Amino acid sequence: MVTKRLIPVIEIFGPTIQGEGMLIGRKTMFVRTAGCDFSCSWCDSAFTWDGSSKKDIRLMSAEEIWCELKQIGGNTFSHVTISGGNPALFPQIGELIHFLHNHNILVGIETQGSRYQPWFLEVDDLTISPKPPSSNMKQDLEFLDDILKNLEEHNRLKHVNLKIVIFDEQDFHYAKKIYQKYSQIPFYLQVGNPLITEQNDAVLAQQLLKRYNWLINMVMHDEVLKDIRVLPQLHTLVWGNKRGV
């Protein structure tokens, strides 16, 4: 029974900056969970679910995670981002959120909106990132709608943002439909990174900036996407495809 309350963690690192969504540039520590119910074609964290880093997975309690965060980050942080994979697979994440809040640490979560957990209501910064057609995944928008309605009923939408990664025009049109459906929620479009194996940081940055310029131009000429933010994948521009930064 005890092991059911443990969290499968694949890496803990920081402090660093958040490279995506409404918290872009925010100083944070990261806890990355293992396991995902999606397998996106372009996933830049496939090691969390494809078995390639299975040996790195540790089953950890909330207290153990906190101790490691403090060992790595000392007193230099006040925010922790829990990402994956998909951390929404694990009800026991709620215990970690409580533990962090008890130590005056704010908590951000990144998930695709395919699963719901009651602890969504306690997260300080909830980023929901529906997956576009290029992912080759089928996003259940009715389920996403239920999640957002529940958050609204509990007056938690002010803690939520929607972020969609854009690789092509089909993704762009998909994002417009999502934006129109949930126009009351802060909305971010972000450039996708198709070069997840590129080791030359200069080449990678050049290509991503070209894609960012393309996405900006698409948004600027669009009559629907008015109240919206267009982001690069900031950490990739700074550190390339390096893990643990």
Side-chain angles (χ1 to χ4, degrees):
M1 292 295 294
V2 174
T3 57
K4 291 184 180 180
R5 307 310 304 176
L6 300 181
I7 300 168
V9 175
I10 202 161
E11 59 181 359
I12 298 175
F13 61 92
T16 184
I17 58 166
Q18 173 59 260
E20 305 179 353
M22 69 177 178
L23 297 180
I24 191 167
R26 206 246 195 256
K27 185 179 182 181
T28 188
M29 295 288 291
F30 270 86
V31 176
R32 189 182 296 280
T33 60
C36 193
D37 50 327
F38 277 18
S39 53
C40 296
S41 59
W42 36 251
C43 181
D44 60 2
S45 303
F47 61 89
T48 62
W49 51 262
D50 66 5
S52 61
S53 296
K54 186 176 181 179
K55 60 179 175 51
D56 297 327
I57 299 173
R58 295 175 290 160
L59 294 176
M60 303 179 71
S61 68
E63 184 174 5
E64 288 171 334
I65 292 171
W66 169 246
C67 288
E68 186 158 328
L69 285 166
K70 289 292 288 183
Q71 181 182 5
I72 297 171
N75 296 318
T76 64
F77 66 97
S78 61
H79 187 278
V80 170
T81 299
I82 304 172
S83 64
N86 184 9
L89 294 175
F90 308 110
Q92 60 269 41
I93 292 286
E95 297 175 16
L96 177 57
I97 293 170
H98 292 159
F99 204 95
L100 292 170
H101 281 168
N102 286 339
H103 288 83
N104 299 313
I105 302 296
L106 298 174
V107 181
I109 294 283
E110 298 178 352
T111 180
Q112 64 262 39
S114 60
R115 300 290 183 94
Y116 177 79
Q117 294 292 346
W119 49 254
F120 278 18
L121 302 177
E122 302 173 34
V123 175
D124 300 290
D125 309 300
L126 179 59
T127 296
I128 300 178
S129 183
K131 302 310 176 188
S134 64
S135 69
N136 294 328
M137 294 290 104
K138 184 173 177 57
Q139 185 85 37
D140 185 343
L141 294 182
E142 290 185 4
F143 188 76
L144 175 61
D145 196 41
D146 289 341
I147 291 176
L148 293 172
K149 283 180 180 178
N150 187 60
L151 290 165
E152 184 176 21
E153 288 171 1
H154 289 84
N155 194 32
R156 297 297 294 181
L157 280 187
K158 61 185 176 182
H159 298 276
V160 180
N161 73 103
L162 290 170
K163 181 196 72 179
I164 298 182
V165 178
I166 305 296
F167 282 82
D168 53 35
E169 289 193 23
Q170 190 177 11
D171 290 353
F172 183 79
H173 293 302
Y174 171 85
K176 284 177 64 173
K177 292 179 181 179
I178 302 294
Y179 172 80
Q180 289 174 300
K181 187 174 179 63
Y182 306 113
S183 58
Q184 79 277 23
I185 301 174
F187 203 93
Y188 297 80
L189 295 187
Q190 180 178 296
V191 174
N193 174 16
L195 305 172
I196 56 177
T197 61
E198 177 60 64
Q199 296 302 306
N200 186 316
D201 291 352
V203 170
L204 177 62
Q206 182 182 41
Q207 292 301 313
L208 291 180
L209 286 172
K210 285 182 179 179
R211 297 176 67 83
Y212 186 40
N213 184 61
W214 167 81
L215 183 56
I216 289 172
N217 287 332
M218 291 284 286
V219 171
M220 294 308 108
H221 292 93
D222 192 274
E223 296 181 356
V224 172
L225 298 171
K226 296 177 180 178
D227 188 13
I228 198 167
R229 293 164 177 81
V230 186
L231 303 179
Q233 196 180 54
L234 185 59
H235 58 282
T236 306
L237 290 176
V238 177
W239 294 293
N241 288 315
K242 184 179 179 182
R243 273 180 59 179
V245 292

